[in-house]
């Protein structure tokens, strides 16, 4: 005979209370503290996130249990592969630098030209190459070494950053400068993305790809 599991008591939901004819208390939305500055609001958000995380911790398997070790091993399997740690760190730095360049270049373009057309071109030049040339870039990775393609794309990224920096420093930025640099950046992105995905497969292999 299979033993019955003990049912844990849970508070009744709105539908259960309505079925019994009980009044439903409306939850009041959390309102910002009156007169609170940005620092206080950020601190309040952090405290809320900590409490949410603290509620999820008890659902994790115990540290000395038999379930945690296989789970952690499966999650961190890719980090045991030679070269993956360097790839992960380098990719994080590259993506952070790319995001910083986006913020700085877009903001200065907006401040200098106030051109909606140039702002739209900035978005299109970033994403349109992925739509048009991703398949071609993937085929390029099948024929050539992905590491060399990544190096070439990173060189294009660095040339773009150097170009932005020089033009910002000497204050000679013109619209056609921005168009050229944004276009080069878009080409570099479509070259880099498939190559980086292919390199993950080359480093980790098929068995550990899920943890990469």
């Amino acid at each position: 005979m299979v033993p019955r599991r003990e049912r844990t008591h849970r508070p009744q939901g709105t539908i259960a209370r309505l079925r019994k004819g009980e009044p439903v208390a409306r939850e009041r939305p959390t309102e910002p503290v009156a007169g609170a500055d940005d620092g206080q609001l950020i601190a309040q958000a952090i405290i809320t996130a900590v409490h949410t995380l603290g509620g999820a911790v008890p659902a994790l398997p115990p540290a000395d249990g038999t379930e945690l070790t296989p789970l952690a091993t499966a999650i961190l399997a890719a980090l045991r592969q030679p070269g993956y740690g360097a790839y992960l760190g380098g990719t994080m730095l590259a993506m952070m630098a790319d995001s910083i360049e986006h913020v700085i270049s877009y903001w200065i373009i907006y401040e200098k030209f106030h051109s909606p057309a140039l702002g739209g071109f900035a978005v299109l030049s970033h994403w349109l190459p992925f739509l048009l040339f991703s398949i071609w870039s993937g085929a390029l990775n099948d024929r050539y070494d992905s590491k060399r393609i990544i190096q070439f794309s990173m060189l294009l990224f660095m040339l773009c950053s150097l170009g932005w920096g020089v033009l910002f420093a000497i204050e000679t930025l013109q619209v056609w400068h921005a168009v050229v640099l944004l276009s080069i950046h878009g080409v570099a992105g479509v070259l880099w993305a498939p190559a980086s995905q292919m390199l993950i497969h080359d480093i980790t292999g098929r068995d550990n790809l899920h943890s990469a």
Side-chain angles (χ1 to χ4, degrees):
M1 182 176 180
V2 180
R4 296 179 60 184
R5 295 183 180 180
E6 296 182 0
R7 299 181 61 182
T8 57
H9 176 71
R10 295 183 180 180
Q12 292 183 350
T14 303
I15 296 178
R17 292 196 295 269
L18 287 174
R19 287 175 176 173
K20 293 184 177 181
E22 298 177 358
V24 179
R26 297 182 178 270
E27 296 183 357
R28 298 179 58 186
T30 304
E31 299 180 356
V33 180
D37 56 9
D38 291 342
Q40 291 176 331
L41 293 176
I42 293 173
Q44 189 177 16
I46 293 174
I47 293 173
T48 303
V50 170
H51 286 314
T52 303
L53 181 62
V57 168
L60 296 174
D64 55 351
T66 59
E67 300 178 2
L68 183 62
T69 301
L71 180 62
T73 302
I75 293 175
L76 304 177
L79 291 175
R80 299 198 305 271
Q81 305 303 313
Y84 183 76
Y87 166 82
L88 182 62
T91 301
M92 291 173 61
L93 291 175
M95 295 183 70
M96 180 176 64
D98 183 55
S99 300
I100 293 173
E101 180 188 323
H102 275 302
V103 172
I104 295 174
S105 59
Y106 288 0
W107 178 254
I108 293 184
I109 287 174
Y110 170 77
E111 286 288 316
K112 185 174 180 61
F113 301 111
H114 292 280
S115 172
L118 187 57
F121 179 81
V123 177
L124 287 176
S125 64
H126 181 78
W127 294 112
L128 196 59
F130 286 89
L131 179 63
L132 299 179
F133 304 117
S134 291
I135 297 178
W136 175 83
S137 181
L140 195 66
N141 280 273
D142 290 335
R143 298 183 59 184
Y144 300 100
D145 188 1
S146 297
K147 294 190 290 294
R148 298 290 179 243
I149 297 176
I150 291 175
Q151 291 169 356
F152 179 71
S153 62
M154 288 299 155
L155 179 61
L156 292 179
F157 280 135
M158 288 187 287
L159 289 176
C160 288
S161 298
L162 181 62
W164 286 121
V166 171
L167 292 172
F168 293 161
I170 62 179
E171 298 182 352
T172 58
L173 179 65
Q174 299 180 20
V175 173
W176 73 269
H177 293 146
V179 169
V180 171
L181 290 175
L182 290 170
S183 300
I184 295 175
H185 191 280
V187 172
V190 76
L191 288 174
W192 172 66
S196 64
Q197 297 297 315
M198 185 71 71
L199 189 60
I200 293 177
H201 183 276
D202 294 340
I203 293 175
T204 63
R206 184 185 299 270
D207 294 337
N208 298 317
L209 190 62
H210 65 280
S211 65

